[in-house]
Amino acid sequence: MDAQEKVNTMDVFEAIYTRHSVSQVKPDPIPRNTIERLLRAAVQAPNHYRNRPWRFVVLMGKSREALGEVMAESLRQSKPDLPEAALEIERSKPLRAPVLIAVGVDKPSDPRVLEIENLCAVAAAVENLLLSAHAEGLGAMWRTGPAARDPEVKKFLGLSADQELISFVYIGFPDSVQPPPERPSFEDRTTWME
C-alpha cells in the first residue's frame, strides 16, 4: 500500500454502511492512478486456488461511445422494430459516467475449481471495487441488463461468448451528496444453530 492509499483509508464498517449506488455523477475525468488503486483493491478478493478469475475492461473517453454503438446495433438486430429513440437510450448508457469498468469472469481452467467459485470471487472483487471507490469519494453503480449477456458486447470487450459478464461499474465524482438508503436488517434472513 503506497502513501496515497494510506491517506484515503476509511473504516471498513463506515464504508460498508455508507456505500450506496450513485447514479448521477459529474463528467469530470478520474485520474488513471485512482482507477489503478481501485483495481488493486478489487483483486484482493478471495479466490479459490488463487486463480484470479476476473477480467476488467476499463472504458474512458471515446471507447464508451464505441461500446454504446455496439449495444445499440445489437439491440437493433434483436428488435428491428424499435424506434430510434430507444436505440439512442441504449447508445447513451455507457456515457452515464466518465469511467465504466466491465467485469468478466474466466471459466475455470483448474478441474478443482467450480464455475460458481469463480463467479463468487469476481462478485467479491466488484464489491471491493465499489467500497474502494466510495472510500476515494467517488460515486459508483453496479449495473447489468441484457447488454451484459450479449455476445457482440462481450466480443467488443474481448470476452468470449461463453464468459460471464457480471457487471458494468459506472464510476465518477458524485453530482450531489445523498444519504445512504435505509437497509433491512439481517434478522429475518438468519437462522442460528448451536
Side-chain angles (χ1 to χ4, degrees), residues 4-193:
Q4 180 64 37
E5 289 172 309
K6 289 179 183 175
V7 169
N8 292 331
T9 59
M10 175 186 283
D11 174 84
V12 69
F13 284 101
E14 178 186 357
I16 290 168
Y17 287 118
T18 60
R19 190 218 62 81
H20 59 96
S21 295
V22 176
S23 60
Q24 300 296 316
V25 296
K26 298 175 185 175
D28 305 2
I30 300 170
R32 183 180 176 126
N33 66 339
T34 300
I35 300 302
E36 289 172 351
R37 273 196 306 276
L38 303 182
L39 293 170
R40 274 196 297 278
V43 301
Q44 301 310 305
N47 58 103
H48 212 184
Y49 297 105
R50 298 182 181 169
N51 66 345
R52 304 169 58 234
W54 32 74
R55 295 290 166 183
F56 302 103
V57 181
V58 181
L59 297 105
M60 300 182 294
K62 300 253 185 232
S63 65
R64 296 171 305 135
E65 293 173 15
L67 174 60
E69 290 299 329
V70 171
M71 290 167 62
E73 179 57 25
S74 186
L75 182 60
R76 188 183 69 71
Q77 293 290 329
S78 67
K79 297 180 179 180
D81 296 332
L82 275 180
E84 184 58 36
L87 297 176
E88 190 53 41
I89 290 170
E90 189 72 6
R91 188 175 286 115
S92 68
K93 286 180 179 178
L95 305 177
R96 292 173 174 151
V99 175
L100 176 112
I101 301 177
V103 186
V105 182
D106 283 348
K107 293 281 189 184
S109 57
D110 184 327
R112 301 172 296 173
V113 178
L114 301 176
E115 187 168 10
I116 188 69
E117 293 171 334
N118 279 2
L119 288 164
C120 292
V122 178
V126 173
E127 180 65 2
N128 283 358
L129 180 65
L130 294 170
L131 288 169
S132 61
H134 177 57
E136 289 281 343
L138 297 166
M141 180 174 256
W142 179 340
R143 303 294 299 255
T144 54
R149 296 178 294 281
D150 188 290
E152 291 303 314
V153 170
K154 290 179 184 183
K155 181 179 176 182
F156 173 82
L157 295 169
L159 302 174
S160 61
D162 66 344
Q163 271 184 288
E164 294 292 340
L165 174 56
I166 68 162
S167 178
F168 292 110
V169 180
Y170 293 87
I171 304 172
F173 293 99
D175 201 20
S176 63
V177 177
Q178 302 286 329
E182 188 68 33
R183 292 190 173 103
S185 174
F186 66 90
E187 291 157 348
D188 67 327
R189 300 295 175 150
T190 304
T191 301
W192 296 84
M193 300 176 76

